[in-house]
Structure formats: structure tokens, C-alpha cells
Amino acid sequence: MSNYLFDGLLGGAVRDKRFAELINNRSYTYGDVLDVTGRFANVLVGLGVQPGDRVAVQVNKSIEAVMLYPATVRAGGAFLPLNTAYTASEIEYFLDNAKPRVFVCDPSKYGDYESICEARGIRLEALGVYGTDENIGSLAEAGSSAPVEFETVVRGADDLAAILYTSGTTGRSKGAMLTHENLLSNAKVLADYWRFTSDDVLLHILPIFHTHGLFVAINTVLLARASMYFRHGFSVDDVIENLPHCTTMMGVPTHYTRLLDDDRFNQELTSHMRLFTSGSAPLLAETHKHFEARTGHRILERYGMTETNMNTSNPYEGERRAGTVGFPLPGTEVVINNAETGEQVPNGETGAIEVRGPNVFKGYWEMPDKTREELRDNGFFITGDLGKIDEDGYVHIVGRAKDLIISGGFNVYPKEIESVLDDIDGVSESAVIGIPHSDFGEAVVGVLVAERNAELDENSILESLKTKIARFKQPKKIFVIDELPRNTMGKVQKNVLRDRYQDLFT
């Protein structure tokens, strides 16, 4: 018997093989990974974590924060990473919904969450960033004295390994349940499809509360026994300094557009690189062309989502076609269906994208009705995206049926922001749209209608939102207009608003 995911990722790892080069001249070997996950697993079990329990985490990026993920899996629990931008009021929903046994926060926020967790019977612990002036926190202190030996809890392929929350159009976030098989199968496919080996070194610049930086990046590196230069965030200077030590980089369009704005990012700097991948938001064809002209490399764009990890990818060998997300990954089926009838449409026609495979999630946590709406009995998941498959088999994403906005690689659902805006004194109604932005892919814009005789100040509204919603959700612009455009059925025509403001950031 074994722990399906943990043993699949780390079984037989060579202890002295390099895993990560860190800031402050620190480094991690695979032996350190095994030891630290053993220490943290012991601490988690000591805190009462039992098989199936959730461990929620909202901490700054660090290698120890990464270790909490396999440590939770090793202890038999389900890992629940939360965006570091979420406010205390937003966190309360996740704690109420997921009911974690343990919540781990940044030491600086311990006071904000103490009463919230105490009222819910949740054990609150803190984890800081080693090697800085920050308090390393109670969890780190407990881990430093815990034994490295730990009898890994037996878990099977269908057991829950993680819950990732993705916002719904109603404003309620949905917890996507990901199993051991969901995560391990996808890592195996990606390591093979993208040709990862133990000689690879990944430049890790992504956040670790998102499937891209956590599961796509970390799981692929672990499975291939590769290494990484682990950075605490993205900056152009940092990438230029560390890229010469690496062979691969995973990024989002914003990263690549900012690098291209710097003359130091050129063919000489990237000559040793094997692979650049991009995801989490559409990459403009112009960026593809500019990148290839500057570096000689063609970015590999792929398509995934919280509920499925990666579904498609442009080929490692062969044409990486701009404006597409490539082909379905091995073992994953992608079909384009008529949204009304559910019948498959011919190649070249636009319809609703549905996917099926071992990577597709188990359902939404404690939302059986929502699960039935989006996960068919035959295993196909209705993604909510609109797309088409061309005559050569390349998948194109042409729109998002639910008005999802992707800004800087993060999902923003308009309904959630509209609910906050509508609660502001003097606001009669609102509409939130995404407008093309050369840096962020899309920018959030709020369009408001004032109540009769009320006066709204755009700057004051923007300022008030800073404590109400995470920064990546906050509109970059607010407009006040007389009335929202509607069709004959009374539905707001957001396409009209998008057309009106489409050149705002270009």
C-alpha cells in the first residue's frame, strides 16, 4: 500500500540531487524535501489532521510554503492554497465552506485571523519566510524540532489531494476537488510531452496558490527529478540575472511582454534555454512574433484550468501556432459542442469546449447541484469556454461564455465585483467588463449608473475597494454613465460596453 501522489512524485528520489536554489544562498536537495515534508507531516498530524482533512494555507511564497503541499498529502490531507491577496472577509467564506482542520497564515496576519478561526474551531498556525527579518511562525518553529521520520499515510488514486477555489458567476467561489490521480496523471503527461529530464532547471517565478505555479510547475519538476531556481516573485532584473542558470521557464503573457520591453532580454541571454511556456491568459500573436524575432525561441502556449490542470498544448516538436493552444494532451479528450443541444459541431465551427480525461476533477466541494450542471455523467466537463478546432487539429479559444476576465493570469468574475459595487451608496447598478490590455491581457473596468440625485466620484470608489476585494480584482477604471445598454429582454449588453471602451488601454 502507498500514498498514490506522494510516492508517485517522490518515490525513489536520490537524496543528494539538487531540487532548488533559493534566495539568500540557500538550497534544497531532494533529501531536504523528504525530511522537511516528514517534519511538517508530523506537525500536521499532531495538530489533529486526519485522512481527508483540509489544510488551508495563505502565506507568502517560500520553499517551506511549497513543502506544505506534499507534507499535507503525505499526512493524508487535502491541500487548500489561497490567494495571498484575499482579505480577511473573503477568507471567512473559504473557512466556512471548506471547514479545514488547520489554517496556516502569514505571521503578520495572525491577529487578523485569530478570532475568526477560534469561532470556527480551526487551529491557526503561522509560517513566514526563512532567511528574512520576518517571524518564521509557529508552524516553522514546531517543524524545526519535529522528527524527519514519518510513516506516510496510505491514500489511493481516487482520494482527495487538493481543493482549489475558482470563482463562480454568482459570486460564490467553488472548490474544485482534485484527486491524487488528477494531479499525478497530468504531471506524467506534461513531463513527457514537454521533454523534462533530470538535467532541466526551471526558473520558478509564479505564485504557488495557483494551479500553474504549484501543480504544473512543482509536480513536473518533482516527477522529472529536475531542479529549479526558486524566486519569490517576478521582476525583469531578477529574471535576467537568473535565466543563464536555467533551461526552462513557465510564465504568463505579462511576464513576456515586460521582458520584451528590456533590451537586455535578447538572443544571447536566451541561447541556452530549451523551453518557454505560457498560460493562464491568452498570448497575443504580436507577442509571439516579437519574442521569436528577439530571442529565436517560439513560446509554447497551452490551455488549462483549475478544474482540470492542463488540457492542451502546442507541440514540443512541430509548429507552435500563434493564436491557438495546440492539441489535446495524450489521454485528454477535447470536444466542441453546441451549447444548446450538446451535440458535437464540425471542425472549424465555434461551440462550447468540453474535456474528459484522468486530469478532470472529481466535482465541486459540497456543491452537488453545481457539479451536476458542469460535469456530465459521461465524464465530460463543460469548461464554460468557447472555442473551435481547426482543420489541422489545433484548438482555438475564442471567448468565455461566462464573461470571465483574465487579468495578469488571474481569473476575475464580473458578478462578484458587481455585487460589491452595487452595495456602494449612490450606485443604482453596475456592469463589470474586461478590456484588452497590452500588459495584463485584460483589465477590469467598472461601469456604474448612479441613483437619482446621487453623485458618484470614480476615484473615491476605487479607493474604497482596496479593503473590500483583492487587488487583482479591483477595477483599473470606473465610469459613470446614464444607463446601461440592454437588449429587448432587458439583459445588459456587455459587448456594447466592451466595444465602447476597447481602446482604453491601447
Side-chain angles (χ1 to χ4, degrees), residues 234 236 251-261 278-279 281-283 287 406-409 437-442:
F234 170 81
V236 171
V252 301
T254 302
H255 297 153
Y256 293 119
T257 57
R258 291 183 179 177
L259 286 169
L260 288 170
D261 284 338
S278 181
L283 190 69
T287 305
I406 300 180
S407 183
H437 193 288
S438 59
D439 198 8
F440 293 97
E442 287 182 304

Side-chain angles (χ1 to χ4, degrees), residues 44-58:
L44 292 174
V45 170
L47 293 171
V49 173
Q50 299 177 17
D53 282 347
R54 281 72 60 205
V55 176
V57 178
Q58 188 199 35

Side-chain angles (χ1 to χ4, degrees), residues 135-147:
N135 173 4
I136 64 170
S138 55
L139 190 73
E141 292 173 355
S144 65
S145 59

Side-chain angles (χ1 to χ4, degrees), residues 132-403:
T132 67
D133 294 332
E134 185 179 351
N135 173 4
I136 64 170
S138 55
L139 190 73
E141 292 173 355
S144 65
S145 59
V148 298
E149 295 81 12
F150 180 80
E151 187 173 347
T152 302
V153 175
V154 173
R155 301 296 278 168
D158 198 45
D159 283 322
L160 191 61
I163 297 177
L164 291 188
Y165 276 88
T166 177
S167 297
T169 54
T170 62
R172 290 187 65 202
S173 294
K174 300 170 293 184
M177 297 186 290
L178 297 166
T179 68
H180 285 239
E181 171 67 5
N182 292 153
L183 299 182
L184 185 59
S185 66
N186 208 234
K188 288 179 176 178
V189 168
L190 294 178
D192 179 66
Y193 202 80
W194 292 343
R195 308 291 197 271
F196 269 79
T197 73
S198 59
D199 293 328
D200 273 310
V201 182
L202 172 72
L203 181 59
H204 196 298
I205 54 175
L206 297 163
I208 56 171
F209 51 76
H210 190 277
T211 187
H212 192 176
L214 184 63
F215 299 140
V216 177
I218 301 297
N219 285 354
T220 303
V221 167
L222 287 172
L223 190 69
R225 300 293 186 267
S227 305
M228 59 183 177
Y229 263 66
F230 188 80
R231 317 310 297 166
H232 284 189
F234 170 81
S235 79
V236 171
D237 288 342
D238 193 61
V239 169
I240 289 173
E241 178 183 349
N242 289 286
L243 203 62
H245 305 294
C246 303
T247 63
T248 65
M249 172 179 158
M250 297 181 185
V252 301
T254 302
H255 297 153
Y256 293 119
T257 57
R258 291 183 179 177
L259 286 169
L260 288 170
D261 284 338
D262 194 300
D263 291 338
R264 295 174 296 171
F265 188 73
N266 54 30
Q267 190 161 1
E268 182 180 358
L269 183 74
T270 61
S271 61
H272 63 288
M273 290 291 288
R274 182 180 69 81
L275 179 65
F276 292 93
T277 69
S278 181
S280 298
L283 190 69
L284 297 176
E286 180 183 351
T287 305
H288 269 288
K289 295 174 183 177
H290 191 185
F291 193 91
E292 185 174 18
R294 176 79 70 83
T295 68
H297 292 276
R298 194 156 182 83
I299 297 172
L300 186 153
E301 192 170 8
R302 82 299 179 282
Y303 165 58
M305 56 200 318
T306 300
E307 292 93 340
T308 63
N309 287 313
M310 295 304 102
N311 298 310
T312 74
S313 172
N314 269 276
Y316 184 79
E317 296 177 353
E319 182 187 358
R320 300 176 189 174
R321 188 171 293 182
T324 81
V325 290
F327 306 106
L329 287 165
T332 299
E333 300 172 74
V334 177
V335 297
I336 311 296
N337 289 339
N338 182 297
E340 300 294 329
T341 66
E343 296 179 355
Q344 192 167 342
V345 304
N347 281 1
E349 291 190 13
T350 297
I353 300 175
E354 299 188 19
V355 299
R356 179 170 66 182
N359 56 309
V360 174
F361 75 137
K362 193 174 185 176
Y364 293 114
W365 175 260
E366 294 195 338
M367 289 185 177
D369 292 341
K370 182 58 67 175
T371 298
R372 282 190 291 270
E373 286 177 17
E374 300 187 19
L375 196 57
R376 297 187 187 277
D377 291 339
N378 63 5
F380 273 98
F381 171 58
I382 304 169
T383 66
D385 289 325
L386 300 176
K388 62 182 180 180
I389 299 176
D390 66 25
E391 64 279 2
D392 296 322
Y394 286 83
V395 178
H396 300 242
I397 311 297
V398 300
R400 291 181 292 278
K402 298 178 181 178
D403 288 323

Side-chain angles (χ1 to χ4, degrees), residues 449-464:
V449 175
E451 293 178 346
R452 182 173 296 181
N453 299 323
E455 292 187 5
L456 299 176
D457 180 81
E458 293 91 341
N459 291 329
S460 297
I461 292 173
L462 289 172
E463 186 66 24
S464 72

Side-chain angles (χ1 to χ4, degrees), residues 463-474:
E463 186 66 24
S464 72
L465 295 176
K466 291 182 179 179
T467 59
K468 295 178 180 178
I469 51 176
R471 184 175 180 180
F472 69 88
K473 301 178 186 177
Q474 295 167 17

